[in-house]
Amino acid sequence: MTLAPLRIRTRPGVLVAPAVLLLLGVVGWLIDWPLGVDSTVYRSGAVALLHGEPLYDAMSLSAQPSWARLPFTYPPIAALLFTPMALFPTQVSWGLLAVVSMLSLVLVVRVVAGALPHRPSWLTPARATVLLPVLFIAFEPVCRTILLGQINLVLMAFVVLDVLVLKGSRFSGVLIGAASAVKLTPLIFVPYLLLTRRWADALRATGTFAGLQALLLLVIPHDVARYWSDAVFDPERTGPIHWGVNQSLNGLMLRLTDRAPWSLTVALAIGALLAVPVALAVRRLHRRGQEVPALLMTAFFGLLVSPVSWTHHWVWAVPLVVYLLARLPEPLPAGRARLRVLAGPGALVAVFVLGLLLILGVGPALQWSPVDFVPGSVYLIAGAFVLVRLPVLSPDRGP
């Protein structure tokens, strides 16, 4: 088990952003400022569970502010895990979640940088931990995750820790199972564990996921049955999935076909075709000792094939850029060669900082022109770039 990446010396600079976010949450509570629209969803589930209300059938939401009365849409176990949020006012709960998200971002940068065997001398794990999160806050998926009060950074940290730090320990797989229990999308990493021959880890991940669901079956059987028999099959419960901010193959097909009922079938068929070469690439990267790109291949494949991948789900751009920066040659070449070397990382940073697709709006995207589909699909294009390029990059640093 590789514990070195977790030996992080506390630096005051790392704590500035979390402190500011917590203060913002407290101020928002004092002046009744709406903060964390999505975090109120987690909190509503926790409040309903504590008050004995149903999670999916006519929640009263009376304990939430009027602007925050959004129904619960996640697996029942999420309501239990988020019960601490019910102990604080809505905006303060957002601030606390934002603090955890920022620390998760720092942790992911530190662990990924420390797991890369080759990197420039200027990209030490300690420097990366302090400097790169400043850049990543400007990434639209990261910024939107924090502002909305989403948990994508926390779940990504769970997966990164499980794959890169806990490997070989008796706890490996548990964090992936726990993350999947809260949001189903991390289940894509169970096949990753199987592809990399981590059989026991895959079993622990599956057992943790099933065990947490069974725990709630004993507590609130009606809600568990309601979720797994109905709610889980309705992707629209989280919002209109044909909107441009759903950057998945399914979202693209819905926009291209004017919400044809067979769009999901086509998207899943494309995903099935991609699954074979992606699985082969993941195994090949793993055998070459390239755990980080193998993990990234899995993450971006999951983003493409999931029925819903909102832009804030694309926080996996963070470890991707860390990996690409670590591949920069040292010293950097001069002239046009330098531009070629920096083109890949620079283009990806531009994609996730500029948020070009948001220029087209976050609402309905059924009236897009053919030209609109280019900026409106930039995350999908970036995901395709990852699946095509990562498997053919050499293990060593270089242009």
Side-chain angles (χ1 to χ4, degrees):
M1 179 173 64
T2 307
L3 290 177
L6 285 181
R7 294 172 185 167
I8 303 174
R9 181 179 298 176
T10 302
R11 296 172 181 268
V14 171
L15 302 178
V16 171
V20 170
L21 290 169
L22 181 57
L23 178 61
L24 185 60
V26 173
V27 172
W29 167 52
L30 294 175
I31 64 175
D32 197 24
W33 188 22
L35 284 173
V37 174
D38 286 3
S39 62
T40 64
V41 177
Y42 306 129
R43 189 177 183 276
S44 68
V47 170
L49 182 64
L50 293 176
H51 286 80
E53 295 183 8
L55 294 178
Y56 309 103
D57 300 313
M59 293 172 60
S60 69
L61 300 173
S62 58
Q64 297 278 63
S66 58
W67 56 267
R69 292 176 181 174
L70 299 175
F72 189 68
T73 59
Y74 296 95
I77 187 62
L80 177 63
L81 297 178
F82 285 115
T83 49
M85 298 183 70
L87 305 178
F88 301 93
T90 302
Q91 295 90 336
V92 177
S93 294
W94 168 84
L96 291 170
L97 181 58
V99 168
V100 176
S101 294
M102 274 303 305
L103 295 178
S104 297
L105 172 65
V106 171
L107 184 62
V108 167
V109 172
R110 178 64 175 83
V111 170
V112 171
L116 296 170
H118 305 287
R119 55 182 178 268
S121 59
W122 55 266
L123 191 65
T124 64
R127 289 179 182 174
T129 301
V130 175
L131 299 178
L132 290 185
V134 178
L135 166 66
F136 293 137
I137 290 175
F139 277 29
E140 187 270 341
V142 173
C143 181
R144 186 174 287 266
T145 288
I146 293 174
L147 291 179
L148 291 178
Q150 275 286 344
I151 58 169
N152 305 303
L153 291 166
V154 179
L155 298 183
M156 179 172 66
F158 273 33
V159 173
V160 167
L161 284 172
D162 206 326
V163 171
L164 299 179
V165 176
L166 296 181
K167 181 181 179 180
S169 80
R170 58 184 177 180
F171 300 106
S172 183
V174 171
L175 291 181
I176 288 177
S180 303
V182 176
K183 269 192 175 181
L184 301 183
T185 47
L187 282 171
I188 190 66
F189 296 102
V190 175
Y192 168 85
L193 295 175
L194 295 173
L195 287 170
T196 55
R197 298 182 180 275
R198 293 169 61 171
W199 315 115
D201 300 348
L203 184 61
R204 275 190 290 267
T206 306
T208 301
F209 173 82
L212 288 173
Q213 308 303 331
L215 174 63
L216 265 290
L217 184 62
L218 299 175
V219 180
I220 45 173
H222 171 76
D223 289 306
V224 173
R226 176 82 166 78
Y227 178 81
W228 289 105
S229 64
D230 182 30
V232 72
F233 300 108
D234 179 20
E236 292 275 356
R237 73 188 188 280
T238 61
I241 60 176
H242 62 280
W243 285 10
V245 285
N246 179 15
Q247 289 286 292
S248 68
L249 288 171
N250 182 44
L252 176 62
M253 292 305 304
L254 285 168
R255 294 188 285 274
L256 287 172
T257 64
D258 195 15
R259 291 190 292 178
W262 42 264
S263 297
L264 178 58
T265 302
V266 174
L268 292 177
I270 296 173
L273 291 175
L274 291 174
V276 175
V278 168
L280 293 174
V282 168
R283 289 199 63 179
R284 184 166 63 250
L285 288 168
H286 171 71
R287 288 172 177 173
R288 288 159 57 180
Q290 295 182 272
E291 295 292 351
V292 172
L295 177 63
L296 291 171
M297 286 282 293
T298 307
F300 280 88
F301 174 73
L303 288 168
L304 291 177
V305 301
S306 173
V308 182
S309 290
W310 303 121
T311 59
H312 54 75
H313 291 170
W314 289 73
V315 292
W316 284 94
V318 167
L320 172 64
V321 171
V322 174
Y323 171 69
L324 293 178
L325 290 176
R327 291 184 49 79
L328 292 177
E330 189 178 31
L332 286 173
R336 293 183 178 178
R338 174 176 293 186
L339 294 178
R340 288 197 299 270
V341 166
L342 296 176
L348 283 170
V349 169
V351 163
F352 292 105
V353 169
L354 297 178
L356 293 177
L357 65 92
L358 298 181
I359 297 174
L360 303 174
V362 299
L366 300 178
Q367 307 301 321
W368 282 0
S369 69
V371 176
D372 292 334
F373 272 92
V374 177
S377 306
V378 287
Y379 287 13
L380 281 159
I381 295 170
F385 167 82
V386 170
L387 298 188
V388 170
R389 286 294 296 157
L390 285 193
V392 298
L393 292 177
S394 63
D396 299 323
R397 287 189 292 117

